[in-house]
């Protein structure tokens, strides 16, 4: 209901004839310099500088970002609406990616929940908190699909799949825009950076762009996102921030997007580096005429374009269109009526409760085997008993900074519950909790190993918390190797050698190569970077108060040499066959991943049966419903993510072996069975045909329903003309 009201409010504001007329009359009164000023966006350093305030007074600034706190935004807004000639209010932006001060799981972690409602909840909470601190515009959600874990920004997105990525994008837009404007970024194809190298060139066919990278942006636009941010990268030689096909043809003519496009940092100026502009002014002309409305940080629009407009190198109509998009956005946000937007901050306890719940939902159980051997074999290692000495070891065990992740806005280490703290709060009184750091995250010293080994020897179980620093993923953080940094692997081996059962808790912003751990450690838990409630959420799962339900939104390779490796690949003419030398594979590793997309274990088990389709034949306009019976075959309640994939068996273009088209989170009690319906709208099975248009062709479609992209019950239906 709130969501509808919110959208209704925006719609009413936009529709008001008086409002539209007043904007037209405002535009008519603007000088060229004031028009270009609305297209100018600068970063502050916590507070606006005197020079920036003067630009506001002179009408040469449309917005500021990185102004922190209402005590700093309000005075600048007052200058804009009382001292400038036309009194146009400012946008105040900030990278509220996964929390303002109350930091939630990184988006890649949150995507592991396969729970769009959870993503909407954290985005709404983050937007609400940010609005209370003077922010009215966030540069989130980042919706870039990524297949290469070397790329650090894989941490900021929702993984490798466009269907999951689209649902998460729309959910985060809805959540943020309950209180502030959202920005879908980075438009587009940034995740295809070659070799996972940050800011690198991309080679993306139009088919792959439209089938893989664009859908989450389209979902964000359909959810009413206020703005998009144009990316740094080129798209097969044409930079995204000077690409009319992208920001005009696709975004406005095909999708009907009526919001505005802001460049990423100095990506307008960087068109000179790309070699498609010989001067800054030319770079500005190329970007503005391509459809990039607002120039972040390079000041080219405001400093260099007036002369080009006056010499008719840029039509005034192009400037006016961009300015109107900014003015309409400010009106949609209500800034002309209420420029200061005073808002109350949500209660911290409420924010932390959301962080803890979503944090636990984001945890993926990758391995959970018994420790005993043979007949002495006993229960799986997890969940742990709350009594009995436990050793907590590793550079991330009592770390309060790294759980905030790579981009944590106003998050503070002091707010974070470490894993050690979470475990201490969880175990029964009197239970011995031993701690040893063992090693640093990234250095060569093994001096701490002895204490770690000693602690493990005194304990019933050793919890090793290993992984990356927060700044080893995120922007400008591509890694050429994907192993545990430093000597952490050696620390793990030393502790495993004690014979004490080991639980490996991973804290990282990307898939890691876990060859040794996967073969020698009985229990492995992927926790990503979970934010302020990391320790409590992790302890909730380790000790069984919550049954893990996370599933991987990104494939984990066996070895670096497999990268890029992803589930929705095509079959090739020589599909991998271990018995055929001449087939698509390596001579030294399997072609299968270490852990596949959609994979995750539970403390219970689930069985699938009786997959049925509502019809064996369907037209494009029909919906085929897959019904499968899922049973909790274990001894405790658990949540399964039932996943439905489709393969278009024969088409005019080779299609992926599997494409995720539906999923449902289902909670079942021990022994409980439930028939789960998963609808497939046949029209959603489109691909880009030989004529470069979306098409659903008649033919056989195979449906897979199961617990991951690697297994499932099968059925087929015929799409008929
Ligand atoms: C950056 C990032 C972008 C961010 C912007 C503003 O360089 O690429 O994601 O929103 O600058 O901070």
């Amino acid at each position: 209901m709130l969501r509808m009201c919110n959208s209704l409010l925006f719609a009413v504001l936009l529709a008001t004839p008086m409002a539209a007329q007043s904007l037209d009359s405002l535009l008519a009164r603007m000088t060229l310099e004031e028009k270009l000023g609305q297209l100018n966006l600068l970063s502050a350093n916590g507070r606006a500088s005197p020079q920036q305030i003067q630009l506001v007074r002179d009408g040469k600034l449309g917005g500021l970002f990185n102004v922190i706190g209402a005590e700093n935004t309000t005075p600048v807004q007052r200058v804009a609406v009382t001292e400038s000639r036309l009194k146009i209010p400012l946008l105040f932006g900030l990278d509220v990616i996964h929390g303002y001060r109350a930091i939630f799981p990184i988006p890649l972690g949150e995507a592991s929940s396969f729970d769009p409602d959870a993503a909407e909840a954290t985005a709404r909470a983050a937007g609400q908190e940010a609005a209370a601190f003077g922010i009215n515009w966030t540069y989130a959600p980042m919706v870039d699909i990524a297949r290469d874990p070397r790329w650090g920004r894989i941490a900021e997105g929702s993984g490798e799949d466009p269907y999951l990525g689209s649902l998460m994008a729309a959910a985060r837009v809805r959540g943020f825009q309950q209180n502030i404007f959202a920005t879908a970024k980075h438009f587009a194809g940034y995740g295809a950076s070659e070799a996972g190298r940050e800011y690198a060139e991309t080679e993306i066919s139009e088919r792959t762009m439209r089938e893989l990278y664009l859908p989450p942006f389209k979902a964000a636009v359909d959810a009413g996102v206020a703005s998009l941010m144009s990316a740094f990268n080129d798209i097969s030689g044409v930079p995204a921030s000077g690409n009319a096909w992208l920001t005009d043809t696709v975004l406005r003519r095909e999708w009907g997007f009526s919001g505005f496009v802001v460049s990423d940092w100095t990506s307008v100026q960087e068109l000179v580096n790309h070699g498609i502009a010989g001067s800054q002014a030319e770079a500005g002309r190329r970007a503005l005429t391509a459809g990039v409305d607002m120039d972040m940080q390079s000041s080219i629009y405001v400093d260099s374009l007036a002369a080009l407009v006056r010499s008719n190198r840029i039509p005034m109509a192009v400037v006016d269109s961009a300015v109107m998009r900014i003015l309409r956005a400010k009106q949609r946000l209500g800034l002309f009526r209420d420029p200061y937007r005073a808002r109350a901050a949500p209660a911290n306890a409420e924010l932390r409760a959301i962080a803890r719940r979503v944090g636990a939902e984001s945890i993926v159980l990758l391995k959970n085997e018994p420790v005993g051997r043979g007949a002495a074999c006993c229960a799986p290692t997890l969940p742990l008993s709350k009594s009995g000495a436990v050793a907590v070891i590793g550079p991330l065990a009592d770390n309060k900074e790294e759980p905030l992740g790579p981009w944590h806005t106003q998050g503070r280490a002091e707010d974070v519950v470490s894993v050690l703290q979470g475990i201490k709060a969880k175990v029964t009184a009197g239970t011995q909790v031993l701690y040893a750091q063992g090693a640093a995250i990234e250095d060569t010293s093994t001096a701490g190993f002895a204490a770690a080994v000693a602690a493990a020897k005194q304990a019933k179980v050793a919890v090793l918390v290993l992984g990356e620093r927060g700044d080893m993923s995120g922007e400008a953080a591509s890694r050429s190797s994907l192993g545990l940094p430093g000597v952490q692997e050696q620390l793990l081996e030393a502790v495993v050698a004690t014979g004490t059962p080991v639980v490996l808790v991973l804290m990282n912003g990307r898939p890691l190569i876990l060859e040794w751990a996967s073969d020698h450690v009985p229990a492995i838990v992927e926790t990503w970077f979970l934010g302020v409630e990391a320790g409590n959420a992790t302890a909730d799962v380790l000790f069984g108060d919550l049954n893990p339900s996370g599933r991987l939104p990104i494939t984990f390779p066996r070895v670096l040499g497999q990268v890029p490796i992803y589930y929705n690949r095509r079959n090739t003419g020589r599909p991998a066959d271990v018995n055929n030398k001449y087939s698509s594979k390596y001579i030294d590793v399997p072609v299968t991943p270490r852990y596949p997309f959609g994979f995750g274990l539970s403390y219970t088990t689930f069985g699938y049966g009786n997959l049925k389709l509502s019809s064996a034949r369907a037209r494009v306009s029909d919906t085929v419903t897959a019904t499968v019976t899922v049973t909790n075959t274990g001894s405790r309640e658990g949540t399964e993510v039932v996943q439905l994939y489709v393969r278009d068996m024969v088409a005019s273009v080779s299609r992926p072996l599997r494409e995720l088209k539906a999923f449902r989170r289902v909670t079942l009690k021990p022994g409980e069975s439930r028939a789960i319906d998963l609808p497939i709208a046949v029209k959603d099975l489109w691909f880009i045909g030989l004529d470069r248009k979306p098409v659903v062709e008649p033919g056989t479609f195979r449906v897979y329903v199961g617990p991951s992209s690697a297994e499932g019950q099968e059925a087929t239906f015929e799409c008929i003309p």
Side-chain angles (χ1 to χ4, degrees):
M1 187 57 189
L2 181 60
R3 187 188 308 172
M4 193 179 70
C5 293
N6 176 54
S7 311
L8 212 55
L9 173 65
F10 279 154
V12 165
L13 282 175
L14 271 182
T16 312
M18 173 51 86
Q21 187 187 349
S22 66
L23 290 186
D24 287 336
S25 62
L26 175 57
L27 182 70
R29 288 185 287 135
M30 295 173 79
T31 66
L32 175 56
E33 282 66 26
E34 286 166 332
K35 291 178 180 178
L36 294 172
Q38 283 302 303
L39 311 184
N40 189 28
L41 173 69
L42 291 179
S43 173
N45 187 14
R47 59 184 352 175
S49 67
Q51 297 76 7
Q52 290 170 339
I53 291 171
Q54 191 52 49
L55 287 173
V56 173
R57 200 170 279 118
D58 296 343
K60 294 190 172 182
L61 208 50
L64 278 163
F65 64 111
N66 296 327
V67 179
I68 304 301
E71 70 278 11
N72 289 314
T73 58
T74 299
V76 185
Q77 190 70 293
R78 185 170 297 111
V79 169
V81 301
T82 61
E83 297 182 30
S84 72
R85 188 176 78 87
L86 294 170
K87 307 193 180 354
I88 300 171
L90 295 167
L91 292 170
F92 286 103
L94 187 66
D95 289 281
V96 182
I97 310 297
H98 52 101
Y100 177 78
R101 173 157 178 194
I103 302 301
F104 302 107
I106 59 170
L108 186 63
E110 193 175 71
S112 304
S113 69
F114 276 67
D115 185 354
D117 290 342
E120 184 170 343
T122 60
R124 179 169 54 247
Q128 192 180 4
E129 191 182 27
F133 289 86
I135 300 306
N136 54 39
W137 181 31
T138 180
Y139 305 136
M142 187 274 212
V143 303
D144 298 304
I145 295 297
R147 292 170 153 172
D148 193 323
R150 292 172 291 184
W151 190 50
R153 305 200 78 164
I154 201 166
E156 298 175 48
S158 297
E160 69 191 52
D161 180 72
Y163 177 78
L164 176 62
S166 298
L167 290 177
M168 287 301 182
R172 290 178 175 136
V173 166
R174 289 193 302 269
F176 280 124
Q177 296 200 160
Q178 300 284 325
N179 291 284
I180 59 178
F181 267 177
T183 306
K185 71 183 185 183
H186 306 79
F187 195 51
Y190 191 4
S193 296
E194 192 162 86
R197 190 176 77 253
E198 180 62 297
Y199 313 125
E201 62 270 39
T202 74
E203 282 303 333
I204 310 173
S205 69
E206 182 176 342
R207 174 169 296 111
T208 299
M209 178 60 87
R210 288 183 178 276
E211 292 176 359
L212 186 71
Y213 294 107
L214 289 182
F217 288 98
K218 179 66 166 55
V221 167
D222 291 347
V225 73
S227 56
L228 269 71
M229 181 181 285
S230 66
F232 291 125
N233 55 283
D234 73 5
I235 300 166
S236 306
V238 183
S241 293
N243 191 320
W245 176 80
L246 195 62
T247 43
D248 185 48
T249 304
V250 171
L251 184 60
R252 300 198 186 282
R253 299 175 195 278
E254 289 183 18
W255 295 356
F257 178 60
S258 58
F260 66 99
V261 176
V262 59
S263 67
D264 187 355
W265 205 255
T266 53
S267 60
V268 170
Q269 182 179 326
E270 292 167 26
L271 298 183
V272 176
N273 296 340
H274 279 287
I276 68 160
S279 68
Q280 298 214 359
E282 176 58 15
R285 188 196 67 78
R286 181 75 186 257
L288 182 61
T289 55
V292 177
D293 302 303
M294 200 170 212
D295 169 16
M296 178 188 279
Q297 200 58 10
S298 69
S299 297
I300 290 175
Y301 287 14
V302 72
D303 290 348
S304 308
L305 296 193
L308 295 188
V309 176
R310 292 197 169 96
S311 62
N312 292 320
R313 298 264 342 279
I314 298 177
M316 181 64 86
V318 168
V319 174
D320 288 350
S321 297
V323 175
M324 277 305 277
R325 291 181 192 124
I326 303 298
L327 295 178
R328 276 200 296 269
K330 292 180 175 181
Q331 180 185 71
R332 176 180 169 193
L333 202 51
L335 289 181
F336 288 100
R337 285 181 299 101
D338 174 18
Y340 305 105
R341 300 180 89 243
R343 293 285 191 284
N348 191 42
E350 175 196 339
L351 295 169
R352 296 193 77 101
I354 295 170
R356 183 166 182 166
R357 171 176 65 83
V358 177
E361 268 192 36
S362 303
I363 291 175
V364 185
L365 179 59
L366 296 177
K367 186 179 177 186
N368 188 26
E369 292 178 359
V371 177
R373 292 278 178 272
C377 183
C378 43
T381 305
L382 294 173
L384 299 176
S385 159
K386 293 178 181 177
S387 57
V390 54
V392 186
I393 297 167
L396 291 159
D398 195 28
N399 189 307
K400 297 164 73 75
E401 178 69 36
E402 308 315 337
L404 293 169
W407 203 317
H408 49 267
T409 311
Q410 293 302 299
R412 299 179 197 173
E414 69 202 53
D415 296 339
V416 173
V417 176
S418 71
V419 174
L420 177 64
Q421 289 172 320
I423 290 175
K424 282 182 174 176
K426 183 65 72 176
V427 296
T428 50
T431 298
Q432 192 182 16
V433 178
L434 302 131
Y435 167 67
Q437 182 182 336
I441 293 173
E442 193 184 24
D443 77 11
T444 57
S445 168
T446 60
F449 281 24
V453 165
K457 284 180 174 173
Q458 297 171 57
K460 262 183 62 182
V461 65
V463 176
L464 264 77
V465 189
L466 307 177
E468 297 180 313
R469 272 196 326 271
D471 65 6
M472 296 174 87
S473 60
E475 184 173 2
S478 291
R479 287 183 65 195
S480 66
S481 63
L482 297 175
L484 287 167
V487 294
Q488 295 184 67
E489 182 108 356
Q490 292 88 316
L491 173 63
L492 178 63
E493 292 173 16
V495 172
V496 167
T498 66
T500 300
V502 169
V503 176
L504 172 56
V505 173
L506 292 166
M507 209 180 277
N508 45 296
R510 59 162 53 82
L512 297 178
I513 302 295
L514 302 166
E515 281 186 286
W516 191 88
S518 295
D519 294 338
H520 296 86
V521 178
I524 302 175
V525 177
E526 174 57 75
T527 70
W528 311 108
F529 292 113
L530 293 178
V532 292
E533 283 291 322
N536 287 329
T538 303
D540 286 342
V541 168
L542 291 183
F543 290 88
D545 288 346
L546 283 173
N547 188 351
S549 60
R551 300 291 182 268
L552 290 180
I554 186 78
T555 299
F556 274 52
R558 293 177 185 277
V559 295
L560 182 59
Q562 289 182 307
V563 171
I565 179 173
Y566 44 89
Y567 89 91
N568 46 0
R569 60 187 176 80
R570 296 191 292 270
N571 202 27
T572 78
R574 296 192 173 190
D577 174 355
V578 290
N579 301 316
N580 177 0
K581 171 182 173 66
Y582 301 98
S583 64
S584 177
K585 62 186 189 314
Y586 302 98
I587 60 171
D588 53 355
V589 293
V591 290
T592 53
R594 171 66 68 185
Y595 301 110
F597 176 86
F599 176 80
L601 299 175
S602 169
Y603 292 152
T604 187
T605 51
F606 296 97
Y608 284 72
N610 308 328
L611 173 59
K612 290 187 173 47
L613 300 182
S614 58
S615 52
R617 296 156 60 84
R619 289 187 166 76
V620 176
S621 55
D622 293 336
T623 292
V624 175
T625 299
T627 303
V628 68
T629 301
V630 182
T631 302
N632 180 337
T633 51
S635 58
R636 59 170 292 164
E637 181 175 287
T639 298
E640 172 69 321
V641 180
V642 183
Q643 300 160 46
L644 181 144
Y645 298 84
V646 174
R647 180 184 178 183
D648 188 346
M649 298 306 290
V650 179
S652 54
V653 173
S654 176
R655 303 304 304 141
L657 288 166
R658 276 181 168 80
E659 294 178 276
L660 182 67
K661 292 298 179 184
F663 60 82
R664 281 268 305 278
R665 286 172 55 87
V666 183
T667 300
L668 298 170
K669 296 192 182 328
E672 182 183 1
S673 289
R674 195 176 305 164
I676 307 299
D677 290 343
L678 295 162
I680 310 164
V682 179
K683 66 179 173 51
D684 291 345
L685 306 182
W686 61 270
F687 64 92
I688 299 299
L690 292 173
D691 61 357
R692 297 165 58 200
K693 299 263 185 303
V695 63
V696 178
E697 294 177 348
T700 303
F701 286 83
R702 186 167 295 164
V703 177
Y704 305 86
V705 178
S708 82
S709 61
E711 56 181 302
Q713 305 248 314
E714 294 183 23
T716 58
F717 72 90
E718 292 298 318
C719 174
I720 55 178

